[in-house]
Amino acid sequence: MFKDNVSLSTLKATPFNRDNSEDVKDLLITAFKLMCTAKSMAETYEANRPICKYVHSTSRGHEAIQIATGLQLQSHDFVSPYYRDDSMMLAMGFTPKELMLQLLAKAADPFSGGRSYYCHPSSKDPLKPTIPHQSSATGMQVIPATGMAQGVKYLENAGLRDTKHAVVVCSLGDGSVTEGEVSEAFQFAVLHELPIIYLVQDNEWGISVSADEARTMDAYEYAAGFKGLERMRVDGSDFEASYEAMASAIAYVREQRKPILVHATVPLLGHHTSGVRKEWYRTTADLEKHSANDPLPKLYTRLIEMGATAETLSWIESQALQLVQEDFSVASQSADPSLESVQQHVFAPTPITEEAGTRTPANGSKVVMVDAALHAVEEIMRTYPEAIFYGQDVGGRLGGVFREAATLAGKFGDSRVYNTAIQEAYIIGSTVGLSAVGVKPIVEVQFADYIYPGFNQLVSEISKSCYLSNGKFPVQSLIRVPIGAYGGGGPYHSGSVETTLLSIKGIKIVYPSNAADMKGLMKAAFLDPNPVVMLEHKGLYWSKVPGTLDAMMIEPADDYVIPLGKANTVLEAATAQVEQGNSMCIITYGMGVYWAKAAAAKFEGSVTVIDLRTLFPLDEELIFETVRQHGKCLILTEEQMNNSFSQALAARVQQTCFKYLDAPVFTMGALDLPAVPLNMELEKVMLPNAEKVAAKIAEILGY
């Protein structure tokens, strides 16, 4: 007979004393005060809709489970609340005024400085749990939160910090569990036994999508498929039951250091948001069913049973309303952000602002680019015990498909260098949580073509964290990405993705072309407190492509760094040719450096070649200065040209340097095809090469 293994909890809540003791009564009074406060806040916002003009959600109906959670978290814990969790915020000690300042997008908003929605907190208050930046992208918070648990475990096991058995709480709605990225997080959490609680608040709605329309199972049943993920069910509208469940879940994670999912059923009493009204899509019967499960009357009745008087509870309600009204008045009159602040905190300041160290040591040996990168990572890991390195196939068994991580796992152990599953979203997004707890991650996406599953995390979480947390949570994340075409790599291992990456504001993009730059930029990228994507051309890794031997260079010393945003002049035109107007410049990067140098050899003294090295930030000063000097310019790339970074750069050059130009700003790149074809002859036709570049140089010099 088939045994139903998803209908019963596997971990039972430990009941606390439900008698009428003063301790229990005091706890319930505290919860009642907080519930009344949350209710008054929701009603005040609704009554003042012209003032509360920004979209917001409130916790009406979810208060019991949220307060039960918030009251039991400690200052050394970490939490990822979601946009409906204002009751949890109150229970953790935040005031209505603090929440309202964000609601009204005021300058004094302690979370985002007026940049983000209500209940999108970020906090480093030492007296409260740490809260990194919270986005609105449904389900996307689960990977960063799991990354926090990954970091807590690493710091704990490595003896780098006494985490005091910290727990991470990740709040999410049941509807978001259908997101694929949630399953990536669950899989990683159970595989690595991470100390995290997934608190799922199930109100049976995802805006206007009902549970019946969206799923065949709820989160509790879904969790049964993740071997090792403990799970519980609880009536999230019953405060005592919720408190018991969360006490047991928190104790389990503190002691066992393993993950658990708590599935709390709750009513939805308010609107989805202030802009999506419940009466637009919910029936009267549905609204009445949810109202009958309101946690506030339930707690009121329980307190009366325990001997509290109606007068006392009425006084608590009136005091909560008075506090909310007073705080709302103060928040409403608070100043708006200064207009000058709009560009602040896009990036945190980096310590590497000048080239430093020894680029060419005496008696140094030449190395290929891939070894320069490997040695840079090894030196980083020796210096910084909080640094870890993970991604697909980078562990000890293989050391990367290009051997770019060879020997690292053997030298630093499997706790610091390890393989992941095929889950680019987790690889990228987990760095948000790791950075928030003080770990310094280096991660790898195996090929540039496979970075797209990680774009949700790169765009929604990583790129916005510093800006929307008002500078509190820049994400220190070094993401290595082998890129580029050569030798028949085919359509899914040869792509160039820099234009797509450069469309994301809030990340930095590095693209070295030789071993010395690789090492210096790798060190600077690691030390940068902001997210850096390091594009590494696999055709240059080993200098196997004809004409790329110059990518091998004497390896710089351990202390060598190159600041991001500084281009390099790798070939300079002769002064006489410049003075006679017989010169031009090529602005390029990556493989383009070698095509440009080979082509320039046919026009002795007439071509200056600039290697950008960093695509963002961009060394506009050197670019514009060089173009003004020569009056003729080619911007060369391996990417397809249409709507590309190179075309955008050409427009900026043309606009800034127009009166100095003797010819249009030319661009050159691959043919505008959807992919790089497998056949090597077709690949050659698609890509630029030295001969094609030489023909373009001749055309430009002819102006």
Side-chain angles (χ1 to χ4, degrees):
M1 180 177 177
F2 175 73
K3 181 178 165 117
D4 179 3
N5 67 344
V6 298
S7 59
L8 297 175
S9 298
T10 56
L11 177 69
K12 302 292 186 182
T14 303
F16 63 40
N17 187 359
R18 287 210 181 198
D19 62 19
N20 295 344
S21 70
E22 286 303 310
D23 287 346
V24 174
K25 186 176 179 181
D26 288 346
L27 174 63
L28 268 58
I29 287 289
T30 297
F32 186 74
K33 289 178 181 177
L34 292 168
M35 280 194 200
C36 291
T37 302
K39 180 174 183 288
S40 295
M41 289 162 63
E43 291 172 347
T44 298
Y45 304 161
E46 187 67 14
N48 293 275
R49 289 181 65 191
I51 299 174
C52 304
K53 58 188 176 182
Y54 301 109
V55 172
H56 59 271
S57 297
T58 69
S59 58
R60 285 294 289 126
H62 294 230
E63 300 98 328
I65 187 64
Q66 290 184 18
I67 293 168
T69 302
L71 288 176
Q72 297 184 73
L73 293 175
Q74 299 176 17
S75 60
H76 57 268
D77 292 327
F78 299 84
V79 60
S80 176
Y82 210 40
Y83 60 76
R84 199 181 294 282
D85 286 354
D86 54 9
S87 285
M88 188 186 299
M89 296 293 291
L90 292 171
M92 287 189 290
F94 293 93
T95 66
K97 176 186 169 185
E98 289 174 305
L99 299 179
M100 292 168 180
L101 287 168
Q102 187 172 51
L103 170 81
L104 303 172
K106 297 296 186 178
D109 159 24
F111 308 124
S112 71
R115 296 173 176 189
S116 199
Y117 305 103
Y118 180 66
C119 207
H120 286 61
S122 58
S123 174
K124 283 188 169 181
D125 186 331
L127 301 180
K128 299 181 180 71
T130 297
I131 307 172
H133 156 69
Q134 302 297 299
S135 81
S136 289
T138 306
M140 297 304 101
Q141 77 276 24
V142 184
I143 285 177
T146 306
M148 285 194 286
Q150 181 184 350
V152 167
K153 178 174 181 177
Y154 173 70
L155 293 172
E156 193 172 278
N157 290 351
L160 296 175
R161 184 190 304 171
D162 179 7
T163 65
K164 302 177 183 176
H165 277 201
V167 302
V168 177
V169 173
C170 176
S171 174
L172 63 157
D174 194 275
S176 68
V177 176
T178 56
E179 283 276 7
E181 293 186 16
V182 174
S183 71
E184 289 192 23
F186 287 178
Q187 191 78 251
F188 196 94
V190 295
L191 180 65
H192 293 273
E193 297 186 342
L194 302 183
I196 186 168
I197 300 165
Y198 298 106
L199 173 58
V200 179
Q201 300 175 57
D202 185 358
N203 61 29
E204 299 182 342
W205 286 100
I207 309 185
S208 68
V209 180
S210 68
D212 290 342
E213 290 177 289
R215 67 192 190 201
T216 59
M217 63 188 81
D218 63 28
Y220 175 84
E221 294 163 335
Y222 182 64
F226 294 89
K227 184 179 179 180
L229 180 57
E230 191 57 86
R231 56 202 171 95
M232 299 175 66
R233 285 195 192 276
V234 64
D235 178 356
S237 69
D238 180 327
F239 175 75
E240 286 177 284
S242 296
Y243 195 90
E244 292 167 353
M246 292 310 299
S248 295
I250 291 170
Y252 172 80
V253 177
R254 286 207 200 283
E255 295 163 11
Q256 300 298 321
R257 315 310 283 151
K258 295 179 181 179
I260 184 172
L261 182 142
V262 177
H263 178 259
T265 54
V266 292
L268 177 59
L269 303 182
H271 304 285
H272 169 69
T273 67
S274 56
V276 182
R277 318 294 290 176
K278 59 187 177 182
E279 59 270 14
W280 293 352
Y281 58 91
R282 295 174 65 185
T283 65
T284 300
D286 179 73
L287 293 169
E288 289 175 350
K289 182 188 82 169
H290 282 250
S291 295
N293 210 22
D294 189 335
L296 187 55
K298 288 184 177 183
L299 186 54
Y300 181 96
T301 300
R302 174 68 175 131
L303 283 166
I304 293 293
E305 291 173 356
M306 297 181 74
T309 65
E311 291 77 15
T312 297
L313 299 182
S314 178
W315 180 82
I316 290 172
E317 289 177 305
S318 66
Q319 289 297 108
L321 178 59
Q322 181 179 339
L323 170 65
V324 167
Q325 290 177 338
E326 290 174 354
D327 279 8
F328 186 75
S329 177
V330 172
S332 299
Q333 296 172 43
S334 180
D336 288 329
S338 68
L339 300 184
E340 293 76 20
S341 71
V342 71
Q343 295 188 69
Q344 295 173 358
H345 303 301
V346 176
F347 293 107
T350 178
I352 308 301
T353 57
E354 300 291 339
E355 185 172 4
T358 305
R359 181 178 175 95
T360 310
N363 302 317
S365 300
K366 280 192 173 184
V367 294
V368 291
M369 276 182 66
V370 72
D371 284 348
L374 174 65
H375 299 162
V377 174
E378 179 176 342
E379 291 162 10
I380 286 168
M381 297 189 74
R382 290 200 187 285
T383 306
Y384 298 93
E386 63 271 36
I388 61 175
F389 182 32
Y390 59 96
Q392 296 169 32
D393 297 304
V394 302
R397 193 174 295 114
L398 181 61
V401 294
F402 299 102
R403 304 295 287 156
E404 71 282 4
T407 74
L408 291 178
K411 291 175 179 176
F412 298 103
D414 294 338
S415 65
R416 294 186 67 190
V417 181
Y418 48 90
N419 294 329
T420 66
I422 302 171
Q423 43 185 212
E424 288 83 3
Y426 189 87
I427 292 168
I428 290 173
S430 56
T431 66
V432 178
L434 287 158
S435 178
V437 304
V439 178
K440 300 180 185 297
I442 305 170
V443 300
E444 182 178 306
V445 173
Q446 199 165 75
F447 289 93
D449 307 78
Y450 301 139
I451 198 171
Y452 297 105
F455 259 62
N456 270 341
Q457 293 294 322
L458 200 57
V459 174
S460 298
E461 307 295 338
I462 288 180
S463 69
K464 294 177 173 59
S465 183
C466 187
Y467 186 71
L468 293 183
S469 68
N470 223 19
K472 293 190 297 296
F473 286 98
V475 178
Q476 183 171 10
S477 174
L478 174 52
I479 303 168
R480 298 182 61 185
V481 184
I483 192 170
Y486 81 99
Y492 293 101
H493 299 81
S494 307
S496 292
V497 299
E498 54 264 37
T499 291
T500 310
L501 288 166
L502 286 161
S503 70
I504 305 169
K505 314 311 172 192
I507 63 174
K508 299 183 180 183
I509 312 294
V510 176
Y511 203 139
S513 69
N514 60 68
D517 287 352
M518 172 73 89
K519 189 169 185 181
L521 290 168
M522 183 81 77
K523 293 285 186 74
F526 174 80
L527 294 170
D528 198 307
N530 303 287
V532 181
V533 178
M534 191 143 187
L535 301 176
E536 306 172 14
H537 200 295
K538 56 187 190 293
L540 298 177
Y541 264 158
W542 300 94
S543 288
K544 289 182 177 179
V545 176
T548 62
L549 285 178
D550 285 353
M552 294 177 61
M553 300 188 81
I554 292 175
E555 182 173 357
D558 292 9
D559 62 351
Y560 182 62
V561 290
I562 302 171
L564 307 191
K566 294 294 183 182
N568 186 35
T569 303
V570 297
L571 181 66
E572 194 139 21
T575 302
Q577 296 283 44
V578 176
E579 291 175 348
Q580 294 169 21
N582 295 328
S583 68
M584 62 169 288
C585 62
I586 300 178
I587 312 297
T588 189
Y589 56 94
M591 188 65 78
V593 171
Y594 299 94
W595 295 328
K597 287 167 62 178
K602 299 179 181 180
F603 303 87
E604 186 175 354
S606 293
V607 181
T608 288
V609 177
I610 302 296
D611 180 359
L612 292 176
R613 302 198 292 196
T614 303
L615 306 187
F616 190 89
L618 191 63
D619 192 347
E620 292 188 344
E621 182 179 354
L622 180 59
I623 293 169
F624 297 152
E625 176 189 328
T626 306
V627 173
R628 291 183 185 116
Q629 180 185 17
H630 297 282
K632 301 183 183 76
C633 175
L634 169 65
I635 298 175
L636 174 62
T637 179
E638 182 174 321
E639 271 198 302
Q640 296 92 324
M641 287 305 305
N642 196 30
N643 300 317
S644 66
F645 157 68
S646 296
Q647 287 186 337
L649 178 55
R652 286 152 71 185
V653 169
Q654 192 122 322
Q655 184 177 41
T656 304
C657 304
F658 181 74
K659 64 182 180 180
Y660 298 93
L661 293 175
D662 298 321
V665 177
F666 281 77
T667 56
M668 184 176 184
L671 299 179
D672 289 316
L673 304 176
V676 180
L678 179 65
N679 180 276
M680 285 189 280
E681 296 306 311
L682 295 178
E683 180 188 75
K684 289 178 183 177
V685 172
M686 179 185 181
L687 297 177
N689 58 35
E691 291 72 25
K692 294 177 184 178
V693 174
K696 186 63 68 174
I697 291 173
E699 178 185 355
I700 295 170
L701 288 175
Y703 268 78

